[in-house]
Amino acid sequence: MAIWNLGSINLDLIYSLPHLPAAGETLAAREYNRYLGGKGANMSVAARRAGSDVRHIGAVGTDGDWALDRLTDFGVDTTHVTRLEAATGHAIIAVDPKGENQIILFPGANRALQGAALKQALTQAKPGDTLVTQNETNLQAEAVQQARAQGLRVAYAAAPFEASAVEAVLPYLDFLILNEIEAQQLEASTGKSPAALGIRDVIITLGGEGALHIDGMTGKVTDVSACRVIPVDTTGAGDTFTGYVLSGLDQGLTMADAMHQANRAAAIMVTRHGTADVIPTQDEVRNANL
């Protein structure tokens, strides 16, 4: 089967700082790097490196050929990435010595995708394929509605969190993944706990504490512990986790096994500086001493 990802494509500009800046503070960076990023691109690369057939749907600007080249190098199908008269999305990321980060995001072409391009792309998908999207593009609601009608497994990563965006897609989801803070925000906006949303599978990531899976049909909660590592950069760890979980399910793993594999991938990811370019391969995940 294939994983179809309506997702952002960004240039990530990463600055290593002595600490995260306070309001009005000017800091000299200790190091600077640029990488392919965006939650969408990160998830596509992670799912591909985990072994799945990944088809990316999105948009870049006239300056975005480098991004398409990188995605193609990783083995992601970019047939359905549109070039638009807009700037390619980018993010300015500050990282402190403990691996915590602050991010300024400019959506650019990611928010200018045309409905006709999305519809045409998804007509190529087959029942049993997976669609995943996040809140860094437009057309999320249209995508999940079409995917559900075509018999795809529909997944949503609720970040960056916006209550109205999540609520618009909730009726069409088979799978929802969000972090602990996002879960609290969603419950505050809907008045429902994650277990009461009526979604078949909900995962709540807990950072260094691992993740929880909630079976929306039975209410059973499964706790999957994190691997113990010393993080240097947490950027992209959640995207790596999501891509690996979806790939594991796509390849027939149980939810628990897919989450264990994804935890290992995320643990490796936080020991590296960078985003899509440093997501671990399946062999690295399998052979890591964690």
Side-chain angles (χ1 to χ4, degrees):
M1 309 308 290
I3 295 175
W4 296 79
N5 183 0
L6 171 62
S8 55
I9 301 171
N10 287 341
L11 167 63
D12 281 354
L13 308 173
I14 301 181
Y15 299 85
S16 298
L17 300 175
H19 58 267
L20 297 180
E25 182 179 12
T26 299
L27 284 174
R30 295 172 172 172
E31 188 177 355
Y32 161 75
N33 288 285
R34 53 179 283 164
Y35 299 98
L36 172 66
K39 298 190 72 64
N42 294 341
M43 290 179 192
S44 282
V45 172
R48 179 68 190 117
R49 288 198 151 181
S52 289
D53 175 9
V54 180
R55 319 288 178 85
H56 198 97
I57 307 170
V60 296
T62 54
D63 57 342
D65 285 351
W66 62 271
L68 298 185
D69 290 343
R70 292 300 293 142
L71 282 169
T72 301
D73 288 345
F74 288 125
V76 175
D77 186 313
T78 61
T79 303
H80 304 289
V81 177
T82 306
R83 289 178 176 84
L84 301 176
E85 292 294 328
T88 300
H90 66 264
I92 298 172
I93 303 171
V95 181
D96 74 10
K98 294 181 180 179
E100 295 299 326
N101 60 46
Q102 290 179 346
I103 301 174
I104 299 172
L105 179 66
F106 176 71
N110 294 313
R111 292 280 185 180
L113 186 66
Q114 300 299 306
L118 169 68
K119 184 175 182 180
Q120 192 279 330
L122 284 179
T123 58
Q124 308 301 308
K126 297 179 174 60
D129 285 355
T130 297
L131 171 75
V132 61
T133 187
Q134 327 80 34
N135 193 27
E136 287 186 347
T137 71
N138 60 326
L139 301 179
Q140 300 158 40
E142 293 86 343
V144 298
Q145 290 176 46
Q146 182 176 343
R148 170 56 69 87
Q150 292 181 202
L152 277 67
R153 183 208 306 262
V154 184
Y156 186 77
F161 185 83
E162 181 184 328
S164 60
V166 184
E167 291 178 32
V169 301
L170 281 178
Y172 307 96
L173 300 185
D174 301 298
F175 178 60
L176 173 66
I177 183 165
L178 64 176
N179 66 30
E180 192 171 15
I181 294 173
E182 292 158 355
Q184 294 168 358
Q185 292 172 320
L186 183 58
E187 184 167 355
S189 66
T190 63
K192 296 181 179 180
S193 70
L197 292 171
I199 298 173
R200 184 184 308 164
D201 294 297
V202 178
I203 289 179
I204 301 175
T205 59
L206 307 173
E209 300 305 313
L212 297 175
H213 170 249
I214 302 170
D215 186 319
M217 303 299 103
T218 67
K220 181 181 177 181
V221 178
T222 303
D223 184 354
V224 177
S225 299
C227 304
R228 298 302 174 188
V229 295
I230 299 174
V232 299
D233 184 354
T234 58
T235 309
D239 305 333
T240 299
F241 179 92
T242 299
Y244 260 85
V245 165
L246 292 175
S247 178
L249 297 175
D250 173 64
Q251 295 177 67
L253 296 184
T254 65
M255 181 63 75
D257 286 343
M259 289 176 68
H260 278 295
Q261 175 178 260
N263 267 342
R264 290 174 63 83
I268 296 170
M269 183 65 176
V270 301
T271 66
R272 300 173 172 179
H273 291 286
T275 43
D277 299 85
V278 298
I279 292 172
T281 65
Q282 191 175 41
D283 283 345
E284 288 177 313
V285 172
R286 186 182 297 115
N287 296 327
N289 184 20
L290 295 170

